[in-house]
């Protein structure tokens, strides 16, 4: 796939992903803004409020009717965290013009509606409608509380909060209830104007329309976007090393313990040459169903109900998530570290290494068959300032050796252990 990137206007970029194999077109508009405690809840709330209506379609019923006129187009609000940035906006999906019987163009009206949602939302007296803001505040509060109710998600969040305390990376993409409670319709509208005028905007298109046509449609849709005092976003700050492992233990009314462990990657992030080897290392460790954590800690030794690891590529962290019996904490912890040591020593069977490689490559190539996954992949790349495509990543993974995986594992340093146990009695 020949991916093209174009600057439509100051700090507004289009990533063009040409494809004729899909029956739909996908348009995405995402503002990239620093992740900060003071604004996280504002940014998380904003797309949901904007999705309630525009000045032309001032309520959800009229907005739904407008999308129905586009043959059932869908426009969904999004809030994502990429490194130490928040990415907020909308993703639109609509029938590709080739499959509309009357040769009616859908790209231009879809782009126009996307622009209206962001730039011409329904307002009254220079502020958002109070009933819309209060309704979406309640929904966001429910989403924040839902994380606490899912104890696996809660343990993973608490690990990051403790491990990255005082760093933007420790902040949830939803912000928190305390910050949310301070927001009203006037404050949110003022924030939206500041954020949109000063933030980089990333636009994505995947479909069969020509680059020139997509550029013209989006340039028209976002012609009124203010550009003032654009902030350059620095890469995620490296996580500082600790002199000793941080240990946090908390108790809740739970029937299953949650053990979460955070490792530093020794400065290896997605910008480094060693990144493909670190990605392979994470996959062998706990990133697939062929991994050492899954096959040994979970299946063979039955020390965990689940055990997996994820690589935070922009921050340089590997995070282990597991569910255990309360009295298995020490055994599970020791065995997780033992499996990492096995990788450090190069003790990987051929089927482990090659099976993991094929699984990773298959997952990457499968992204090319799903438009939403392509949009999500390129959002991560552009947020990080990277131009490496999926095919290039696959080629890099093909070249990773056993020795490089072992060397990557040797860079890992245990930073924080979080254990959620049950209350006494």
């Amino acid at each position: 796939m020949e991916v093209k990137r174009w600057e439509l206007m100051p700090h507004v970029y289009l990533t063009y992903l040409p494809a004729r194999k899909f029956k739909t077109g996908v348009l995405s508009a995402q503002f990239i803004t620093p992740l900060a405690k003071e604004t996280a809840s504002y940014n998380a709330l904003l797309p949901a409020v904007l999705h309630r209506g525009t000045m032309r379609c001032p309520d959800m019923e009229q907005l739904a009717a407008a999308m129905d006129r586009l043959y059932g187009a869908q426009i969904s609000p999004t809030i994502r965290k990429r490194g130490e940035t928040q990415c907020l906006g909308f993703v639109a999906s609509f029938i590709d013009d080739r499959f509309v019987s009357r040769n009616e163009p859908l790209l231009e009206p879809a782009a126009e509606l996307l622009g209206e949602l962001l730039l011409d939302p329904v307002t009254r007296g220079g502020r958002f409608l109070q009933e819309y803001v209060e309704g979406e505040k309640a929904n966001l509060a429910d989403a924040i509380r839902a994380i606490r109710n899912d104890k696996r998600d809660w343990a993973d969040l608490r690990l990051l909060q403790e491990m990255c305390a005082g760093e933007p990376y420790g902040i949830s993409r939803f912000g928190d209830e305390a910050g949310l409670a301070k927001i009203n319709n006037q404050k949110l509208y003022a924030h939206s104007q500041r954020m949109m005028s000063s933030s980089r905007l990333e636009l994505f298109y995947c479909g069969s329309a020509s680059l020139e046509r997509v550029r013209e449609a989006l340039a028209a849709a976002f012609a009124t976007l203010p550009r003032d005092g654009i902030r350059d976003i620095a890469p995620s700050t490296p996580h500082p090393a600790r002199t000793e492992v941080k240990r946090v233990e908390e108790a809740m009314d739970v029937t299953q313990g949650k053990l979460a462990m955070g490792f530093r990657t020794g400065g290896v992030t997605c910008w480094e040459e060693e990144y493909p080897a670190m990605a392979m290392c994470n996959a062998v460790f706990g990133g697939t169903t062929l991994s050492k954590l899954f096959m040994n800690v979970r299946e063979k030794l039955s020390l965990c109900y689940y055990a997996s690891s994820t690589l935070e590529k922009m921050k340089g962290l590997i995070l282990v998530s597991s569910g255990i019996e309360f009295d298995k904490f020490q055994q599970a912890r020791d065995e997780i570290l033992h499996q990492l040591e096995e990788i450090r020593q190069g003790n990987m069977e051929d089927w482990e290494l090659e099976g993991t490689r094929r699984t990773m490559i298959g997952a990457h190539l499968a992204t090319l068959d799903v438009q939403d996954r392509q949009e999500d992949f390129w959002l991560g790349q552009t947020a990080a300032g990277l131009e490496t495509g999926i095919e290039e990543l696959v080629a890099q993974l093909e070249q990773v050796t056993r020795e490089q995986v072992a060397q990557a594992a040797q860079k890992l340093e245990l930073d924080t252990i979080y254990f959620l146990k049950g209350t006494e009695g």
Side-chain angles (χ1 to χ4, degrees):
M1 178 188 293
E2 185 181 358
V3 179
K4 297 181 180 178
R5 185 165 164 81
W6 190 271
E7 187 172 10
L8 288 179
M9 59 185 76
H11 298 276
V12 177
Y13 298 91
L14 166 64
T15 299
Y16 173 74
L17 311 171
R20 294 186 63 83
K21 63 182 177 181
F22 301 112
K23 294 183 178 180
T24 57
V26 167
L27 272 178
S28 174
Q30 304 293 323
F31 286 99
I32 313 297
T33 186
L35 182 60
K37 184 176 178 62
E38 298 76 20
T39 57
S41 296
Y42 280 88
N43 291 331
L45 178 63
L46 183 58
V49 172
L50 294 175
H51 195 240
R52 294 294 291 266
T54 70
M55 293 302 289
R56 180 167 64 96
C57 305
D59 55 45
M60 297 189 74
E61 183 178 355
Q62 294 185 59
L63 189 60
M67 288 189 281
D68 285 343
R69 289 192 291 272
L70 298 179
Y71 298 90
Q74 298 292 323
I75 301 181
S76 303
T78 58
I79 178 70
R80 287 171 279 188
K81 174 179 170 181
R82 292 293 181 271
E84 293 181 334
T85 66
Q86 269 180 302
C87 309
L88 61 147
F90 293 94
V91 176
S93 176
F94 49 91
I95 297 175
D96 192 284
D97 292 352
R98 294 174 299 141
F99 299 97
V100 180
S101 59
R102 292 180 292 179
N103 295 320
E104 182 180 352
L106 297 183
L107 169 63
E108 287 78 5
E112 181 183 10
L113 186 55
L114 189 63
E116 285 182 31
L117 282 166
L118 288 165
L119 304 181
D120 195 25
V122 58
T123 58
R124 184 185 300 136
R127 62 187 69 185
F128 293 123
L129 275 60
Q130 182 175 350
E131 58 268 32
Y132 288 179
V133 173
E134 293 304 318
E136 296 305 331
K137 279 179 65 176
N139 291 338
L140 181 55
D142 288 343
I144 293 172
R145 295 187 196 108
I147 298 174
R148 188 182 183 93
N149 293 334
D150 186 317
K151 298 305 185 287
R152 179 173 182 171
D153 288 347
W154 177 248
D156 295 343
L157 175 61
R158 289 291 297 123
L159 171 67
L160 280 182
Q161 288 176 337
E162 292 292 339
M163 185 175 181
C164 300
E167 301 174 64
Y169 200 79
I171 301 169
S172 167
R173 67 188 176 102
F174 291 141
D176 55 52
E177 287 191 82
L180 182 62
K182 299 175 183 177
I183 300 175
N184 61 35
N185 54 339
Q186 186 173 9
K187 289 181 179 179
L188 183 62
Y189 183 77
H191 171 77
S192 74
Q193 300 306 292
R194 291 192 300 270
M195 187 278 298
M196 290 186 189
S197 66
S198 63
S199 299
R200 184 170 96 236
L201 177 61
E202 293 287 348
L203 302 170
F204 303 87
Y205 171 76
C206 182
S208 69
S210 68
L211 173 59
E212 189 59 34
R213 185 180 165 202
V214 175
R215 282 167 46 188
E216 290 178 358
L218 290 172
F222 290 91
T224 61
L225 176 67
R227 301 279 78 192
D228 181 42
I230 303 294
R231 293 171 294 182
D232 290 327
I233 301 178
S236 298
T237 55
H239 180 65
R242 299 185 189 279
T243 56
E244 60 182 28
V245 176
K246 183 177 183 179
R247 293 173 172 82
V248 180
E249 188 173 288
E250 294 179 337
M252 294 179 68
D253 185 14
V254 294
T255 57
Q256 182 186 115
K258 306 296 179 184
L259 170 60
M261 303 169 67
F263 297 82
R264 301 186 300 275
T265 63
V268 177
T269 61
C270 54
W271 298 283
E272 312 299 328
E273 290 184 5
E274 304 99 315
Y275 173 71
M278 186 60 72
M280 279 277 289
C281 171
N282 170 69
V284 172
F285 184 34
T288 74
T289 53
L290 296 175
S291 68
K292 288 187 176 293
L293 293 187
F294 186 89
M295 297 296 293
N296 296 305
V297 185
R298 181 188 186 276
E299 293 293 296
K300 187 181 295 185
L301 299 174
S302 299
L303 289 174
C304 299
Y305 295 104
Y306 63 87
S308 63
S309 67
T310 56
L311 172 61
E312 304 293 341
K313 69 177 187 179
M314 293 174 66
K315 187 66 177 175
L317 305 175
I318 283 182
L319 310 174
V320 171
S321 177
S322 65
I324 62 174
E325 295 288 348
F326 301 134
D327 60 355
K328 296 289 179 62
F329 167 80
Q330 193 65 40
Q331 285 178 273
R333 171 198 172 278
D334 291 347
E335 191 57 38
I336 289 169
L337 294 177
H338 172 69
Q339 295 303 324
L340 177 58
E341 185 60 30
E342 288 288 287
I343 303 174
R344 286 173 173 155
Q345 299 300 322
N347 296 331
M348 294 166 275
E349 300 288 345
D350 289 342
W351 65 264
E352 288 181 280
L353 193 62
E354 294 309 314
T356 297
R357 192 195 310 275
R358 300 271 71 81
T359 299
M360 292 181 70
I361 288 173
H364 277 79
L365 294 177
T367 298
L368 297 172
D369 295 325
V370 184
Q371 288 169 298
D372 288 345
R373 287 176 60 181
Q374 286 192 53
E375 183 270 345
D376 189 67
F377 169 82
W378 280 106
L379 174 63
Q381 294 298 88
T382 56
L386 297 171
E387 298 181 356
T388 309
I390 293 171
E391 293 93 339
E392 293 173 84
L393 285 176
V394 166
Q396 292 172 357
L397 290 172
E398 289 280 15
Q399 301 302 315
V400 175
T401 66
R402 180 190 306 272
E403 292 72 25
Q404 289 173 326
V405 172
Q407 289 168 6
Q410 290 163 17
K411 292 179 179 291
L412 296 183
E413 299 178 47
L414 182 59
D415 184 282
T416 303
I417 297 174
Y418 174 83
F419 180 45
L420 178 64
K421 63 179 184 179
T423 54
E424 293 183 2

